[in-house]
């Protein structure tokens, strides 16, 4: 066999994998191989592999007799919708996808290339953590990944796709990235496994119960997206990438749409009840104003009292931040503040304009919230908005009370343009609560306290909570017809697209933690 034939045979062996039984075991678990996953993610035929011939140099524990090519990770680049991305995928068939020195160096090289060329980085995770046989060299490999995750933060989009186990220190790399996808039943993430938890605390828990997709999608907030299978998961990764720029020096791709920018939305008036205490689904409002009704919700099942989503208006990508009256009446609490703050920071880092839809009665009261640090967590959202230099547009749909109004990108914290619907109530608090505080003595001294309270509530509304009070003082740029919402937002985005704002010179800020 000549050298060229030898190379071809070797490459074929590498692509086929270590042995057919290992592939069958992977498929039996409902999981694809690393190369099959890459093929689903990337445009057909676009993948170029890097270092397929790499092998480890470890000795001891029988390692010198087991030196498969790729060392358990497939790395390279390709395209998604014609745009370059870098990707690495753990191959669970080789050492359980565990990370050793050579494995880590392959990932380091790929991350360096992604940062240098300014292209998104996607990791397809399915590994057993650090390779025990290689000791501290494997741990140092994780350190190099974490350092590069941090260096790439805010420079290129980083997406982690969890398709199998991810335990111990390995879980910190996904936590440092922008978005985490998880697949039910096959993906788990935890720092200490069920056996350790049982030994230390006495709690009996399964892997899924400790760190499965639903746990991280609903309870911990670690996972931004949860899917039932790998196909729909990777398809959504492709959709997300279509909404993102390649790096922080570019703007998101603009797409042609047949949905007119000035399309009227008469349905909006009926979607949002006039009664401020009646719930509704804010997602129906986002759907109505978005191009063709399409948007991608982030953290759909965590902190559901606020909705954050990526969508398009007149072909341009925008980030929506919206209170959700359907959950906890749309109040801000610790989780909602953290969720929205991280999303605002991401949009600002990658030049995505922000559209904030307000219908917020305030911050959630309670001992748990105060002791849990609602002050510093709420300040995270405030800091994120104040620090953002992308175009920022806010719209009050119904009520906007107290500090929550200020925090939700009010004009006073730097919103470029602020609008309100005719039924808006912007105030320190609701009229009933305000009357009880301001007119407490008058109500108590009245012959008919209830009649006096009702009279004073009306008076307070007429003087301070009427829809035009904020507009008269320049805190709202205009009061708009709900049907014209899409047109107004599209026009505002168009005029703000050339916005340029500089922050003071500094190494970095010190946001609240």
């Amino acid at each position: 066999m000549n050298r060229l034939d030898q190379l071809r045979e070797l490459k074929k062996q590498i692509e086929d994998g270590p042995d057919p039984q290992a592939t069958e075991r992977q498929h039996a678990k409902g999981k694809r191989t690393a190369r099959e996953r890459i093929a689903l993610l990337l445009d057909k035929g676009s993948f170029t592999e890097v270092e397929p011939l790499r092998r480890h140099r470890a000795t001891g524990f029988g390692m010198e007799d087991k030196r498969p090519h790729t060392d358990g990770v497939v790395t390279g680049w390709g395209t998604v919708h014609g745009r370059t991305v870098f990707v690495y995928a753990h191959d669970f068939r080789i050492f359980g996808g565990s990370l050793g020195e050579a494995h880590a160096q392959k990932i380091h090289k790929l991350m360096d290339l992604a940062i240098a060329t300014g292209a998104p980085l996607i990791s397809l995770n399915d590994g057993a953590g650090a390779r025990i046989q290689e000791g501290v060299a494997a741990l140092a490999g994780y350190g190099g990944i974490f350092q590069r995750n941090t260096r790439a933060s805010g420079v290129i989009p980083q997406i982690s796709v969890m398709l199998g186990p991810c335990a111990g220190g390995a879980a910190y790399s996904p936590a440092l990235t922008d978005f985490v996808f998880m697949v039910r039943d096959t993906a788990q993430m935890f720092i200490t496994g069920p056996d350790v938890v049982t030994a230390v605390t006495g709690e009996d828990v399964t892997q899924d119960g400790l760190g499965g997709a639903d746990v991280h999608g609903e309870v911990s907030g670690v996972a931004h997206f949860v899917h039932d299978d790998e196909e729909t998961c990777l398809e959504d990764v492709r959709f997300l990438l279509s909404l993102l720029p390649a790096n922080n020096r570019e703007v998101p791709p603009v797409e042609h749409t047949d949905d007119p920018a000035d399309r009227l939305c008469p349905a909006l008036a009926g979607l949002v009840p006039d009664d401020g205490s009646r719930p509704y689904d804010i997602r129906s409002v986002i759907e109505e104003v978005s191009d063709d009704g399409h948007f991608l919700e982030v953290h759909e099942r965590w902190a559901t009292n606020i909705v954050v989503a990526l969508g398009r208006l007149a072909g341009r990508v925008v980030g929506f931040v919206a209170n959700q009256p359907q959950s906890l009446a749309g109040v801000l609490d610790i989780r909602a503040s953290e969720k929205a703050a991280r999303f605002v920071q991401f949009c600002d880092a990658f030049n995505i304009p922000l559209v904030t839809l307000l219908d917020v009665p305030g911050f959630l009261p309670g001992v748990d919230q105060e002791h849990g640090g609602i002050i510093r967590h709420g300040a995270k959202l405030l800091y994120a908005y104040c620090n953002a230099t992308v175009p920022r547009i806010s719209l009050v749909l119904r009520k906007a009370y107290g500090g929550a109004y200020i925090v939700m990108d009010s004009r006073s914290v730097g919103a470029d343009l602020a609008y309100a619907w005719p039924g808006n109530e912007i105030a320190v608090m609701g009229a009933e609560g305000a009357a009880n505080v301001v007119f407490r003595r008058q109500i108590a001294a009245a012959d008919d306290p209830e009649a006096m309270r009702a009279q004073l509530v009306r008076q307070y509304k007429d003087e301070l909570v009427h829809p035009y009070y904020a507009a008269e003082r320049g805190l709202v740029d205009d009061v708009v017809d709900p049907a014209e919402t899409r047109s107004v937002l599209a026009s505002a985005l168009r005029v703000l697209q050339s916005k340029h704002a500089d922050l003071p010179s500094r190494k970095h800020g010190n946001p609240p933690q």
Side-chain angles (χ1 to χ4, degrees):
M1 182 182 295
N2 63 37
R3 293 293 177 89
L4 185 57
D5 289 338
Q6 185 182 23
L7 174 63
R8 288 170 179 161
E9 179 63 25
L10 181 58
K11 289 288 186 74
K12 185 178 185 305
Q13 291 176 5
I14 292 170
E15 289 184 6
D16 290 343
D19 66 77
Q21 288 76 22
T23 301
E24 289 175 10
R25 288 193 295 272
Q26 186 80 344
H27 288 165
K29 297 175 184 176
K31 302 198 295 183
R32 283 175 164 73
T33 65
R35 295 179 190 280
E36 289 170 343
R37 289 164 173 168
I38 290 173
L40 275 178
L41 172 67
L42 301 180
D43 297 338
K44 186 176 181 179
S46 69
F47 182 57
T48 299
E49 190 168 354
V50 178
E51 295 193 355
L53 301 174
R54 190 70 179 262
R55 303 164 81 184
H56 73 74
R57 297 175 294 180
T59 59
F61 306 101
M63 291 294 289
E64 61 272 15
D65 299 323
K66 299 177 183 178
R67 300 182 63 232
H69 292 97
T70 73
D71 201 46
V73 63
V74 180
T75 59
W77 67 82
T79 61
V80 173
H81 302 301
R83 301 162 66 220
T84 299
V85 300
F86 287 81
V87 59
Y88 67 87
H90 298 132
D91 191 339
F92 197 82
R93 301 171 301 170
I94 298 175
F95 299 129
S98 61
L99 182 138
E101 183 181 23
H103 182 121
Q105 288 173 352
K106 288 181 66 175
I107 296 175
H108 295 169
K109 178 171 184 173
L110 192 82
M111 297 178 78
D112 289 340
L113 283 170
I115 295 169
T117 59
L121 175 71
I122 301 101
S123 63
L124 306 181
N125 298 270
D126 185 7
R131 194 173 298 166
I132 298 172
Q133 299 93 323
E134 296 195 32
V136 71
L139 295 178
Y142 275 123
I145 293 174
F146 302 157
Q147 191 268 343
R148 288 167 173 83
N149 283 140
T150 303
R151 199 170 78 225
S153 181
V155 178
I156 57 172
Q158 299 181 82
I159 300 171
S160 298
V161 187
M162 317 310 297
L163 303 167
C166 184
Y172 282 116
S173 177
L176 289 169
T177 61
D178 299 305
F179 297 102
V180 175
F181 288 74
M182 291 189 75
V183 174
R184 285 188 180 91
D185 300 326
T186 59
Q188 301 89 28
M189 296 174 67
F190 38 71
I191 300 300
T192 53
D195 292 342
V196 176
V197 170
T198 300
V200 174
T201 70
E203 298 170 291
D204 188 18
V205 64
T206 64
Q207 287 195 347
D208 274 334
L210 181 63
D214 287 323
V215 168
H216 288 311
E218 298 176 23
V219 181
S220 72
V222 171
H224 300 80
F225 304 95
V226 174
H227 292 272
D228 289 326
D229 54 67
E230 295 187 8
E231 294 91 340
T232 57
C233 178
L234 293 172
E235 186 58 38
D236 254 11
V237 174
R238 288 176 59 86
F239 181 38
L240 173 60
L241 286 165
S242 74
L243 296 166
L244 304 180
N247 56 65
N248 64 338
R249 298 184 301 276
E250 297 183 6
V251 296
V254 178
E255 281 194 359
H256 170 75
T257 177
D258 293 325
D259 193 353
D262 58 356
R263 168 173 57 83
L264 294 179
C265 305
L268 286 176
L271 291 173
V272 180
D274 292 333
D275 182 354
S277 63
R278 286 183 58 194
Y280 64 94
D281 190 348
I282 191 64
R283 288 173 294 195
S284 61
V285 176
I286 298 174
E287 181 179 5
E288 186 66 25
V289 300
S290 298
D291 288 354
D292 303 307
H294 296 156
F295 63 92
L296 179 65
E297 186 174 353
V298 180
H299 267 147
E300 180 181 355
R301 300 168 65 195
W302 183 67
T304 55
N305 43 321
I306 200 161
V307 171
V308 297
L310 293 168
R312 279 192 167 87
L313 268 172
R316 294 186 176 88
V317 177
V318 297
F320 291 101
V321 181
N323 307 110
Q324 174 58 292
Q326 200 174 56
S327 176
L328 294 177
V331 296
L332 286 179
D333 61 1
I334 289 172
R335 288 184 172 186
S337 298
E338 289 186 335
K339 172 178 169 177
R342 182 75 192 280
F343 183 75
V344 168
Q345 288 173 176
F346 174 82
C347 290
D348 186 49
F350 291 102
N351 309 311
I352 300 173
L354 289 160
V355 173
T356 304
L357 305 177
L358 288 86
D359 191 347
V360 59
F363 282 94
L364 181 64
V367 174
D368 288 346
Q369 288 291 306
E370 296 295 343
H371 288 187
I374 185 61
I375 294 173
R376 60 187 174 86
H377 290 290
K380 293 178 184 178
L381 180 55
L382 179 60
Y383 186 99
Y385 269 126
C386 289
N387 200 48
T389 60
V390 292
R392 292 156 50 190
I393 304 165
S394 67
L395 171 66
V396 178
L397 306 185
R398 289 196 308 190
K399 57 191 176 296
Y401 295 153
Y405 155 65
I406 299 297
V407 167
M408 289 287 294
D409 205 19
S410 63
R411 184 67 178 274
S412 57
V413 299
D416 297 296
L417 290 167
Y419 299 102
W421 282 1
N424 78 82
E425 294 184 1
I426 303 175
V428 175
M429 63 176 66
E432 289 78 8
N436 288 336
V437 173
V438 176
F439 306 115
R440 181 177 63 253
R441 293 180 180 176
Q442 290 173 253
I443 292 172
D447 294 334
D448 187 344
E450 288 305 315
M452 178 60 72
R453 178 182 289 107
Q455 176 187 334
L456 294 172
V457 165
R458 287 194 299 272
Q459 178 184 336
Y460 186 85
K461 281 186 174 182
D462 291 342
E463 293 183 12
L464 294 176
V465 193
H466 66 78
Y468 306 103
Y469 185 85
E472 290 170 0
R473 285 152 183 80
L475 298 175
V476 168
D477 290 295
D478 198 6
V479 178
V480 301
D481 181 341
E484 297 176 356
T485 298
R486 173 177 164 84
S487 176
V488 168
L489 293 176
S491 175
L493 285 168
R494 186 168 57 251
V495 76
L496 290 171
Q497 64 179 312
S498 58
K499 174 187 175 183
H500 177 75
D502 290 319
L503 291 172
S505 177
R506 59 183 174 184
K507 186 175 182 181
H508 58 74
N510 186 25
Q513 296 296 321

